[in-house]
Amino acid sequence: SQQGEEDPQALSIQEGENATMNCSYKTSINNLQWYRQNSGRGLVHLILIRSNEREKHSGRLRVTLDTSKKSSSLLITASRAADTASYFCATDAGGNNRLAFGKGNQVVVIP
Amino acid sequence: GAVVSQHPSRVICKSGTSVKIECRSLDFQATTMFWYRQFPKQSLMLMATSNEGSKATYEQGVEKDKFLINHASLTLSTLTVTSAHPEDSSFYICSANPPGLGTDTQYFGPGTRLTVL
């Protein structure tokens, strides 16, 4: 069963704006990851946050993790047209190195 | 960085035929690989864990006789969709796990688009 579950958002924003998407999960985790997928392509790993971390930055990405609420957010600052993609969170809740993916958020950045 | 390839990238076949998809780790050895399927505008669903030298572990609801997995070497896992039907049309993605490391080092292939007519 899917562990990570994003709010079923389809974001459409102007270039330069920030994009925020959320993810919730149901069981205990060791880490949570965010991936990007361009249409018809494979997944690109963006960032990993461990269960003992609350916030992490990587370039224009900011990830937060609230283990008490079992939720995470991904913020993309100063969005670019190239950020247009689907974004998924995944947790290691499946065990045995298996990842459980959430539903995904489709982000469209309008130039 | 680590690279995982898939072949073919796209395949169209007639109903009833079998289709083999390859997943290769190009610059590392992978004792474990994972196979996912993804329907349009949906998330990835884990189908099975491919284990080098032993049987694959299938997720609940995935037919092992329908989706044959063979992990014959440390760099190659194959997924064969047997007697494919239109409902098997999907995007199949593999990932590979370098041995001894956890989920934070899982690398994904570019995916294979299967269309069954």
Side-chain angles (χ1 to χ4, degrees), chain A residues 10-34:
Chain A
L11 301 175
S12 183
I13 58 175
Q14 294 290 328
E15 199 166 33
E17 294 180 340
N18 297 340
T20 301
M21 57 209 89
N22 302 299
C23 167
S24 61
Y25 56 93
K26 296 178 180 177
T27 62
S28 297
I29 62 171
N30 295 309
N31 63 64
L32 183 145
Q33 303 175 64
W34 284 91

Side-chain angles (χ1 to χ4, degrees), chain B residues 65-101:
Chain B
D65 294 332
K66 172 75 171 176
F67 300 99
L68 300 179
I69 291 173
N70 184 12
H71 196 145
S73 78
L74 286 170
T75 59
L76 174 64
S77 173
T78 60
L79 168 69
T80 301
V81 183
T82 62
S83 186
H85 288 92
E87 57 265 30
D88 298 323
S89 298
S90 187
F91 194 54
Y92 292 87
I93 305 175
C94 72
S95 68
N97 232 167
L101 300 175

Side-chain angles (χ1 to χ4, degrees), chain B residues 14-35:
Chain B
K14 292 181 179 179
S15 187
T17 60
S18 293
V19 175
K20 180 185 286 187
I21 303 170
E22 295 184 346
C23 177
R24 292 181 186 273
S25 56
L26 298 185
D27 52 1
F28 65 96
Q29 294 183 330
T31 55
T32 303
M33 292 183 174
F34 301 90
W35 286 97

